Amino acid sequence: MTSTGSASDPAQSAAISIRGAVKRFGEITAVDGLDLEVPRGICLGLLGPNGAGKSTTMRMLTGQVIANEGEIRVFEHELPSDSKNARARMGVVPQLDNLDVDVTVEDNLAVYSRLYRVKDVREAVNRSLALARLADRRHEAVDKLSGGMRRRLLLARGLVHQPELLLLDEPTVGLDPQIRTELWSLIDSLRSQGKTILMSTHYIEEAERLADEVAVMHHGSVIARATPAELIAEHAGRETAELYGPPDRLAEARALAESEGLTVRPAGPAIAIVGSENATNGAVPDDAIRRAATLEDVFVILTGEEAE
């Protein structure tokens, strides 16, 4: 399932329109025939393992990387020829921390406000500080901030000019779970305000909690897209059964389940029998733990990668 907006020409109504994009780095093809439409007003999660092409896609949208083939538009701006005007309408939160550590929190935001020609710099700085819950740190040097506060400052910086589109490239990578949850709360508040957000991530829970739709990306292209609930229903069914035990028992159970046409995936020290509601002939042992199917099941089935 792919959302394309309601207008007769989805490319005109979409915040982002990518058609047939290819990006090669020497012999490596990072993005391979990518088609992606992001309607205005939704949060689309670009979910995939490391190396799937997510960050390269983000860099193509910001003009840092030029596609070898294909068409890319942000609103009505064609990239890379009109990248400057496109960048003026988007806010970018990069995966790598590139904050200026020699100045204060407030100064970081003021510099970006001026770069984007914001009329009222003071108001923009105050608004962004409040949004990121950093008002009490405004005079602090950036190198004195914790990792979580620096990520919040990156988010505030990306929003200082009130962009129509926000690009979040692995926004919580490297953060501990508590700080990650704080960032999720900030991002969710932006989503509730109707901001258009494209967020790349390899964290299953991040995509499930924040995205209106999820596009699963693997080997440089989107291989499935829908709401999290629709992806689960289509690819994993209603129920998954997890079985723990010694390797020989797990191998035997796996062989039986697969002989019944069921999908089985590794799940750490266990195996997960996906779509176990369809099991017959004792294909799911009585001591297996049954649970609702999840987006993690979908991710592993589609990409063959262990989830995080």
Side-chain angles (χ1 to χ4, degrees):
M1 171 184 170
T2 301
S3 258
T4 55
S6 58
S8 57
D9 183 353
Q12 295 300 315
S13 64
I16 295 171
S17 177
I18 301 176
R19 294 177 176 173
V22 175
K23 180 58 190 177
R24 304 183 190 91
F25 297 98
E27 296 181 356
I28 297 172
T29 301
V31 173
D32 190 7
L34 177 64
D35 294 318
L36 187 70
E37 301 279 347
V38 183
R40 300 176 195 235
I42 76 162
C43 177
L44 176 67
L46 202 58
L47 176 65
N50 291 325
K54 305 184 304 294
S55 290
T56 300
T57 299
M58 292 293 198
R59 293 169 66 199
M60 290 193 302
L61 289 166
T62 59
Q64 296 170 284
V65 165
I66 308 301
N68 299 104
E69 301 172 22
E71 299 177 0
I72 302 176
R73 285 184 173 272
V74 174
F75 300 110
E76 68 272 17
H77 308 292
E78 187 172 350
L79 275 59
S81 60
D82 202 10
S83 290
K84 183 177 179 180
N85 288 322
R87 280 296 301 266
R89 299 175 67 179
M90 69 173 75
V92 180
V93 179
Q95 180 177 345
L96 298 177
D97 182 342
N98 61 357
L99 293 165
D100 188 343
V101 299
D102 297 322
V103 298
T104 66
V105 168
E106 182 178 54
D107 289 339
N108 265 274
L109 298 177
V111 166
Y112 265 72
S113 296
R114 294 186 182 99
L115 284 173
Y116 282 101
R117 299 181 181 178
V118 174
K119 291 182 179 179
D120 190 336
V121 172
R122 180 181 293 275
E123 189 276 333
V125 170
N126 289 339
R127 183 187 65 250
S128 298
L129 286 171
L131 184 146
R133 302 167 195 165
L134 287 171
D136 60 340
R137 304 279 182 163
R138 65 189 307 146
H139 300 303
E140 198 159 324
V142 170
D143 61 359
K144 303 297 183 184
L145 298 179
S146 67
M149 289 181 181
R150 289 172 73 132
R151 296 303 297 180
R152 279 153 56 187
L153 180 55
L154 283 167
L155 184 60
R157 191 186 69 181
L159 293 163
V160 75
H161 57 302
Q162 295 187 293
E164 299 167 67
L165 169 66
L166 187 61
L167 302 183
L168 305 176
D169 190 6
E170 301 279 0
T172 65
V173 69
L175 299 180
D176 66 49
Q178 180 179 350
I179 298 172
R180 184 178 298 151
T181 300
E182 292 176 5
L183 264 290
W184 286 350
S185 177
L186 289 176
I187 296 167
D188 195 46
S189 69
L190 295 171
R191 182 180 76 153
S192 67
Q193 295 167 23
K195 285 279 187 188
T196 303
I197 301 172
L198 177 62
M199 175 186 69
S200 73
T201 184
H202 62 277
Y203 295 127
I204 304 294
E205 189 180 1
E206 187 160 88
E208 199 159 19
R209 285 187 55 169
L210 298 178
D212 298 298
E213 295 181 28
V214 172
V216 181
M217 195 168 182
H218 195 42
H219 295 315
S221 62
V222 171
I223 58 175
R225 175 173 171 176
T227 67
E230 289 166 340
L231 285 172
I232 292 167
E234 180 179 355
H235 297 282
R238 188 176 67 250
E239 182 185 87
T240 294
E242 291 187 352
L243 179 66
Y244 294 80
D248 55 346
R249 185 180 182 221
L250 296 183
E252 181 182 351
R254 178 172 195 146
L256 176 59
E258 289 180 338
S259 72
E260 294 294 316
L262 299 174
T263 299
V264 183
R265 70 170 184 84
I271 59 170
I273 303 170
V274 183
S276 57
E277 71 273 14
N278 299 315
T280 59
N281 299 325
V284 176
D286 291 339
D287 59 338
I289 300 169
R290 294 177 182 262
R291 59 164 173 80
T294 66
L295 192 60
E296 180 178 341
D297 294 318
V298 175
F299 181 87
V300 178
I301 289 168
L302 292 179
T303 70
E305 303 275 351
E306 289 287 350
E308 289 193 34

